[in-house]
Amino acid sequence: MQKMKLVVVGNGMAGMRTVEELLKIAPDIYDITVFGDEPYPNYNRIMLSPVLANEQTIDDIILNTREWYAQNNIQLYTNARVNKIDRKNRVVYAEDGTVAEYDRLLIATGSKPFMPPIPGKELAGVIGYRDIKDTNEMIATAKLHKHAVVIGGGLLGLEAANGLKIQGMDVTVVHKNAWLLEKQLDKTAGTMLQKSLADKGLNFLLNKNTAQLHGDEHGRIKAVSFSDGVEIPADLVVMAVGIRPNFALAESAGIHCDKGIVVNDTMQTFDPRVYAVGECVAHRGISYGLVAPLFEQAKVCANHLAQLGFATYKGSVTSTKLKVT
């Protein structure tokens, strides 16, 4: 029996959990090839904030080592961004020239940080908080500079602010709402959280709309100004105002997308050979940015890739945890 070929685009938590689940139930169906656009094997993105807070190292958060891929006969390409899917001939193409044929394709391209359209967002020192590269840039910046501004008072923003404070920076969290974590907390609880974080040395500007980011003569961020005219110094600006599903690759291949890659209850796209899981998908109109739903999706997707075909995903009820206090 010649094995079928499974190509996975995206080496993150959702894609690799699907592969792990598949190996448990049907280890011998596929020759598996994985493309990841970062230089690392699969790591735990949720644990980037403990890395920033000096509690863990990059090596501590690797989930699947390169040896694991080798032991499971998985061909892993890192630093390899796939830029074209040819669905007619069932081939994917990476920017570095690597080509892979597939019988089944799993798209797990995740999400990207939303960068609001604020003038100056292209300045050096303005970053999202999404991957190891961003985390390393924050740690490096903290050694040379003093003032950090985090735009966004949600879970990710507060974790970034806490880590930057531990790295020795003077940190201000800017939030457009009247209290922190307004999606999770009411005003009383949000105010209590703010007080406990202020006691740790964080500064807060609430009910603030960022108007412009100002650069110095070298094109690096130096200040942030708000719609009310207030201006504060900034050597680093971290945008933590949410994520957007990363579905441009799927859309360019003619796969139906609507605010995400549209999948049915078996995680299948409208092309029956192509599946998608994780933050890049829209399932029943919802995209999930938390890990528990992605793992539920992975289990269902693996069940169908394994040709068992009885699991269905109906959506998830979500809860969140702030890894600061």
Side-chain angles (χ1 to χ4, degrees):
M1 276 284 290
Q2 196 182 359
K3 290 185 179 184
M4 290 189 292
K5 296 185 177 72
L6 171 65
V7 171
V8 184
V9 178
N11 187 32
M13 295 175 79
M16 284 305 94
R17 175 58 76 99
T18 307
V19 171
E20 287 173 14
E21 296 281 357
L22 178 62
L23 291 171
K24 276 185 217 165
I25 53 178
D28 302 318
I29 297 189
Y30 295 101
D31 283 325
I32 303 175
T33 303
V34 176
F35 288 88
D37 64 2
E38 292 186 65
Y40 305 91
N42 175 33
Y43 64 88
N44 187 341
R45 208 180 284 287
I46 301 171
M47 300 308 281
L48 286 171
S49 53
V51 172
L52 183 61
N54 288 338
E55 291 160 16
Q56 296 202 294
T57 67
I58 302 285
D59 289 338
D60 294 333
I61 70 168
I62 299 285
L63 292 170
N64 303 97
T65 62
R66 289 180 187 275
E67 292 72 35
W68 177 86
Y69 291 86
Q71 284 158 7
N72 287 285
N73 299 314
I74 297 169
Q75 174 69 59
L76 172 65
Y77 295 106
T78 50
N79 264 334
R81 181 183 290 266
V82 172
N83 58 359
K84 184 180 175 212
I85 298 168
D86 176 350
R87 289 192 298 125
K88 184 161 173 273
N89 298 304
R90 303 208 299 274
V91 183
V92 303
Y93 298 88
E95 281 174 4
D96 64 0
T98 312
V99 177
E101 298 176 357
Y102 67 84
D103 298 296
R104 295 286 180 276
L105 177 63
L106 174 59
I107 303 176
T109 42
S111 61
K112 46 189 196 292
F114 173 59
M115 301 299 261
I118 300 166
K121 70 178 193 319
E122 62 297 316
L123 290 165
V126 180
I127 60 173
Y129 184 18
R130 184 72 201 138
D131 55 28
I132 288 176
K133 186 170 140 295
D134 297 330
T135 309
N136 284 339
E137 186 173 338
M138 288 190 217
I139 293 169
T141 304
K143 291 185 168 70
L144 302 171
H145 297 282
K146 190 72 191 145
H147 299 287
V149 174
V150 177
I151 298 178
L155 287 160
L156 196 62
L158 296 180
E159 291 181 3
N162 180 63
L164 289 167
K165 176 75 189 159
I166 289 168
Q167 291 291 342
M169 294 191 85
D170 179 14
V171 185
T172 301
V173 177
V174 175
H175 196 45
K176 67 179 193 313
N177 293 78
W179 67 88
L180 301 173
L181 291 192
E182 77 287 344
K183 287 198 177 91
Q184 288 87 2
L185 304 178
D186 64 14
K187 185 167 188 182
T188 307
T191 308
M192 288 164 71
L193 174 64
Q194 184 184 336
K195 184 182 180 316
S196 88
L197 294 174
D199 290 344
K200 296 174 86 160
L202 294 175
N203 305 304
F204 295 93
L205 290 174
L206 303 183
N207 284 322
K208 284 281 191 218
N209 285 308
T210 308
Q212 191 168 356
L213 308 177
H214 305 273
D216 61 16
E217 63 276 18
H218 306 298
R220 185 178 178 86
I221 183 77
K222 69 167 187 184
V224 178
S225 61
F226 304 99
S227 52
D228 58 7
V230 173
E231 183 170 310
I232 58 171
D235 308 305
L236 173 72
V237 171
V238 180
M239 297 278 194
V241 288
I243 53 175
R244 296 289 183 270
N246 185 13
F247 57 87
L249 175 69
E251 199 165 45
S252 72
I255 291 169
H256 177 52
C257 297
D258 181 8
K259 300 190 180 79
I261 302 168
V262 175
V263 293
N264 62 18
D265 290 355
T266 67
M267 306 316 295
Q268 206 170 33
T269 69
F270 98 123
D271 178 337
R273 291 178 180 273
V274 181
Y275 291 78
V277 290
E279 293 179 332
C280 60
V281 309
H283 171 267
R284 299 190 181 193
I286 299 175
S287 292
Y288 295 93
L290 298 164
V291 78
L294 312 190
F295 286 173
E296 290 168 28
Q297 292 175 3
K299 206 164 184 132
V300 171
C301 187
N303 181 279
H304 289 273
L305 286 171
Q307 300 181 328
L308 299 175
F310 58 76
T312 54
Y313 176 71
K314 305 285 198 210
S316 298
V317 176
T318 60
S319 63
T320 53
K321 184 165 78 181
L322 176 66
K323 300 184 290 299
V324 171
T325 51

